[in-house]
Amino acid sequence: MADAAQRRELATVDETEALGRELAADLRAGDLVVLDGPLGAGKTALTRGIAAGLGVEGRVSSPTFIIARQHRAGPRPGSIPLVHVDAYRLGGDLDELDALDLDSDLQQAVVVVEWGLGVAEHLTDRHLRVRLYRAPETETRTATWEWIGR
């Protein structure tokens, strides 16, 4: 059963990252976050916020050319590792996504998949779907999010 979708306007990148930190407060190892939205909508900024909220180590940037980046848990108690995937270059190829062996990562980390809609949902029975939209000729973004599955 899906939870009711939530929505927020995000005027700045800082607000996008802040939303990511808020979402991270409810995430646990084993959770999948599927991000959807056009180029420039804020998917990587949201992931930076999630990473900060989880307490991971290292800089978070788009994994476009390497497909997936693993970020270790930081030193603070309760930190959770993050696997950040960019499925754009996979072109919807489920075999390539399966080759990343994310199933095993899902046991120990939060997995965030940019461009994951229609590609990554099969990895778990339940996932957090976040859709980001940027209005033309403005920096204002709209985020909607909801848990999908049981």
Side-chain angles (χ1 to χ4, degrees):
M1 171 190 252
D3 294 338
Q6 297 184 58
R7 182 179 190 275
R8 185 176 303 168
E9 297 290 321
L10 306 165
T12 65
V13 172
D14 288 342
E15 288 181 13
T16 304
E17 290 179 1
L19 175 60
R21 287 190 299 276
E22 287 177 37
L23 295 175
D26 293 327
L27 297 173
R28 305 289 173 258
D31 285 340
L32 172 67
V33 180
V34 177
L35 303 182
D36 182 47
L39 285 171
K43 294 180 295 295
T44 300
L46 186 75
T47 303
R48 278 195 306 268
I50 291 171
L54 296 175
V56 303
E57 292 184 336
R59 182 175 168 265
V60 174
S61 59
S62 178
T64 300
F65 297 105
I66 61 165
I67 311 297
R69 287 185 198 272
Q70 295 187 359
H71 298 275
R72 294 190 321 217
R76 85 168 193 231
S79 293
I80 302 170
L82 170 73
V83 177
H84 183 195
V85 179
D86 186 330
Y88 182 79
R89 292 186 50 215
L90 299 180
D93 187 337
L94 296 178
D95 290 336
E96 283 192 52
L97 185 67
D98 287 340
L100 295 175
D101 199 25
L102 295 176
D103 294 343
S104 61
D105 291 324
L106 273 167
Q107 304 307 311
Q108 315 162 30
V110 169
V111 175
V112 175
V113 183
E114 294 188 29
W115 302 96
L117 192 63
V119 178
E121 296 94 335
H122 78 281
L123 294 171
T124 62
D125 292 335
R126 182 175 186 258
H127 66 278
L128 179 63
R129 179 176 64 198
V130 181
R131 291 184 169 164
L132 294 157
Y133 172 76
R134 181 174 159 190
E137 300 186 29
T138 179
E139 290 300 312
T140 300
R141 291 157 171 81
T142 302
T144 59
W145 65 96
E146 64 184 320
W147 283 97
I148 306 294
R150 46 177 172 143

